[in-house]
Amino acid sequence: MKPTIGLEIHVHLKTLTKMFCDSLNDTSEHHPNVNICPICTGQPGTLPTINKKAVEKVLQVGMALGGKLAKNTKFDRKNYFYPDLPKGYQISQYDEPLVSGGSLLGVRLRRIHLEEDAGGLSHVGDFSLVDYNRAGVPLMELVTEPDITSAKQASDFARELQLILRYLEVSDADMEMGHMRIEANISWDMGTKVEVKNINSFSVVEAAINYELERQKVLLKKKKKIIQETRGWDDVKKETFSQRSKEEAHDYRYFPDPDLPAFEVSSLKSLSSLKQEIPELPEQKRKRFAEEFKLKPEQAEVLVQNRTGSNFFEEAVSELNELEGEKETGIQLLFNYYTTDLWGLIAKEEITIDQIKITPGNFADLIFLLLKKEISSRTAKDILLKMFQAGGDPKEILKSENLGQVSDEDSLRKAAEKIISENPNAVADYKKGKGNAMQFLIGKTMGQLGGRANPQVLREIFEKLLK
Ligand code: MN
């Protein structure tokens, strides 16, 4: 027996206005019913107009995933009744989706279409409140073939899709914010499938699929029938529960929306520029970074997770060119300072990488100083903080802030003599041949000098003084 899993993923598209009217598409708006108009609240006599930007974004996703763009397309009405759906139908696409086919990570895509979101309901005491801010927000729906055979493969697929959507800047695709919602159709050997909804994180994708596969396996072993139904995920009990038996497609009485014109996709003038605007996608970038920069796959992965950041890193690397023979060491050092120190500062300030004051060139200069041993790692961190706060050239900061390494023998000798007189036991140990006693003395002196002593010069001084 083999798991057969398909995913249906809904994604909020990042457009200025809604799908069929000019109300703002702002899903972060917390005041209810602010971004609404007669069209998205379904008032009689109003007419929808197609948001071209939303159509373009779906087509661009289709191109990036190798799908076939429709020649002709149209919108259809999907009829059902629910208080969050003011018109009594959702405008969606039925038999002529914008995109058919394509694949991602070896999983075939069935279709990608465009539709509108419904509003939101909240229940307060005896009342149900409805907020139509989200009603009519453009939604992309992507449906895969049931090619997925494990929970892990499903979450990998969803993560990669999220990353691609962010690279294309078509959506923030934030699951916690509801920008990306996942439903999984789960069965064994293409048998009766169960649809699991309310999946709101990648870890729930895995947990819900694993739970459901196990539940079905137990039933199948007992020769019991699996009911075709929609199940929800209970995040407290960590289990799926029955919500309702699945509607068949014809229950929705789909028919072409008479208020919206069918149109020819190839007549869109923007098609070729949409194609050109597709950036290098994460999968290619992973491979290229690993090869060109001699990075381990897991290092390349860290970089690729943030498109702007990966561009920053790449620009900084290109500034390291003078290093020649030491370039590999330089890139590793750059990687460490980028992932640990720079991102540490970014996370602490809660900003994004495109807001930082450091240029890739100046960041590379800092690594260069470090590599040429002109500064210690302690000093590098001090300079980095200054660069982070106000920008600037690390060489200038080094000069003006007097942060350079103390290599001057006189002051180093004075400091060493002081440490020797204060630590007679360590000195005795050293004379008895204990190698780590020297390290101890150097460490003490370093501490006194705020980590700015040149360790090589310091070691030579100690060796002379203790001879
Ligand atoms: Mn849908």
Side-chain angles (χ1 to χ4, degrees):
M1 285 212 314
K2 193 176 90 179
T4 37
I5 304 160
L7 298 178
E8 278 179 37
I9 303 182
H10 285 88
V11 177
H12 271 169
L13 297 174
K14 207 159 62 174
T15 53
L16 184 62
T17 55
K18 291 188 182 181
M19 188 59 232
F20 298 109
C21 63
D22 61 6
S23 294
L24 279 186
N25 168 13
D26 178 8
T27 47
S28 66
E29 177 58 69
H30 291 300
H31 303 281
N33 298 309
V34 175
N35 298 321
I36 59 170
C37 75
I39 296 171
C40 56
T41 53
Q43 304 304 309
T46 55
L47 282 173
T49 357
I50 299 169
N51 183 335
K52 194 173 150 200
K53 289 274 183 249
V55 173
E56 289 174 342
K57 285 181 193 296
V58 172
L59 292 173
Q60 198 176 38
V61 173
M63 290 171 182
L65 299 177
K68 190 167 163 281
L69 308 192
K71 197 170 165 296
N72 297 296
T73 194
K74 64 176 168 67
F75 287 96
D76 301 281
R77 290 186 181 180
K78 179 179 179 177
N79 298 279
Y80 66 94
F81 290 99
Y82 207 67
D84 63 4
L85 191 72
K87 297 192 292 290
Y89 60 85
Q90 176 194 30
I91 305 179
S92 180
Q93 295 193 288
Y94 184 50
D95 53 346
E96 289 179 2
L98 278 171
V99 180
S100 308
S103 71
L104 176 60
L105 300 182
V107 176
R108 289 171 302 153
L109 309 182
R110 183 175 291 168
R111 57 186 281 153
I112 311 173
H113 74 247
L114 185 53
E115 56 187 35
E116 58 177 342
D117 206 353
L121 289 177
S122 51
H123 307 284
V124 182
D126 290 339
F127 298 94
S128 285
L129 305 174
V130 63
D131 173 10
Y132 289 127
N133 282 341
R134 211 181 62 190
V137 162
L139 264 190
M140 180 188 91
E141 181 178 332
L142 178 149
V143 184
T144 77
E145 296 292 344
D147 287 352
I148 297 168
T149 56
S150 73
K152 172 75 168 50
Q153 193 190 359
S155 71
D156 284 348
F157 177 94
R159 279 178 210 275
E160 188 70 359
L161 179 67
Q162 180 190 55
L163 192 55
I164 291 174
L165 297 171
R166 289 178 176 172
Y167 266 54
L168 295 173
E169 294 173 347
V170 299
S171 174
D172 292 332
D174 193 322
M175 285 188 78
E176 280 73 36
M177 296 284 290
H179 298 150
M180 182 166 162
R181 307 198 288 263
I182 300 177
E183 289 151 40
N185 288 303
I186 304 160
S187 64
W188 285 91
D189 291 335
M190 302 292 288
T192 306
K193 65 182 182 184
V194 166
E195 184 178 341
V196 180
K197 291 196 180 227
N198 327 341
I199 297 176
N200 56 9
S201 75
F202 293 116
S203 61
V204 170
V205 172
E206 288 192 37
I209 291 175
N210 279 329
Y211 178 88
E212 192 52 30
L213 283 172
E214 192 53 36
R215 187 188 71 86
Q216 293 183 18
K217 192 157 97 183
V218 170
L219 287 172
L220 291 168
K221 277 204 178 140
K222 289 185 193 157
K223 306 259 184 268
K224 286 200 177 152
K225 219 181 136 209
I226 299 206
I227 303 161
Q228 183 173 337
E229 61 183 345
T230 300
R231 297 176 73 87
W233 171 252
D234 184 326
D235 211 22
V236 177
K237 293 185 186 157
K238 306 289 175 204
E239 58 187 39
T240 64
F241 61 92
S242 182
Q243 284 185 319
R244 56 189 154 92
S245 65
K246 178 89 180 138
E247 300 92 345
E248 292 297 328
H250 62 250
D251 288 342
Y252 289 123
R253 295 172 295 121
Y254 278 101
F255 65 89
D257 192 312
D259 291 340
L260 289 162
F263 63 97
E264 238 180 284
V265 172
S266 58
S267 69
L268 275 174
K269 286 194 197 75
S270 50
L271 279 187
S272 63
S273 58
L274 286 175
K275 178 120 202 171
Q276 277 163 9
E277 282 161 17
I278 297 175
E280 179 181 35
L281 294 175
E283 189 53 20
Q284 295 158 264
K285 195 167 240 184
R286 275 184 196 105
K287 284 192 188 128
R288 190 170 61 78
F289 272 24
E291 272 175 32
E292 268 178 42
F293 305 152
K294 309 258 188 316
L295 292 169
K296 297 194 193 95
E298 59 270 27
Q299 291 181 313
E301 187 59 48
V302 171
L303 295 171
V304 163
Q305 284 300 317
N306 186 303
R307 183 186 159 202
T308 318
S310 65
N311 293 339
F312 179 96
F313 182 84
E314 184 163 16
E315 273 182 60
V317 167
S318 71
E319 302 279 337
L320 285 178
N321 273 335
E322 310 159 51
L323 285 175
E324 287 171 10
E326 284 175 293
K327 188 147 184 201
E328 250 176 73
T329 324
I331 292 174
Q332 284 297 328
L333 202 56
L334 188 74
F335 178 84
N336 291 339
Y337 271 78
Y338 169 79
T339 51
T340 311
D341 299 278
L342 182 57
W343 271 97
L345 293 169
I346 291 172
K348 212 165 133 197
E349 283 296 308
E350 293 179 13
I351 57 171
T352 55
I353 186 154
D354 49 355
Q355 292 173 300
I356 63 170
K357 298 188 177 91
I358 304 175
T359 65
N362 285 337
F363 191 65
D365 289 341
L366 178 71
I367 301 305
F368 197 80
L369 289 174
L370 196 57
L371 204 67
K372 293 290 169 202
K373 299 205 167 54
E374 286 176 42
I375 54 173
S376 67
S377 58
R378 176 68 258 156
T379 308
K381 288 177 209 301
D382 291 345
I383 296 179
L384 183 65
L385 182 61
K386 297 234 179 299
M387 289 165 73
F388 187 77
Q389 286 160 344
D393 180 345
K395 278 171 266 170
E396 295 297 322
I397 296 172
L398 182 61
K399 258 189 242 159
S400 64
E401 302 275 337
N402 192 26
L403 288 170
Q405 273 195 11
V406 182
S407 303
D408 147 45
E409 280 207 38
D410 267 352
S411 40
L412 285 183
R413 191 179 330 101
K414 260 183 215 143
E417 280 166 353
K418 184 160 173 277
I419 294 296
I420 286 172
S421 69
E422 284 170 6
N423 296 277
N425 292 341
V427 173
D429 283 348
Y430 174 75
K431 296 211 160 143
K432 274 183 237 157
K434 284 195 186 167
N436 54 3
M438 167 72 90
Q439 207 43 54
F440 171 80
L441 293 166
I442 293 177
K444 279 268 173 199
T445 322
M446 274 290 191
Q448 198 112 83
L449 297 171
R452 295 199 290 118
N454 180 321
Q456 196 52 43
V457 181
L458 197 56
R459 176 172 289 274
E460 283 160 17
I461 289 173
F462 268 110
E463 277 166 359
K464 256 186 244 164
L465 288 173
L466 296 175
K467 226 197 287 189

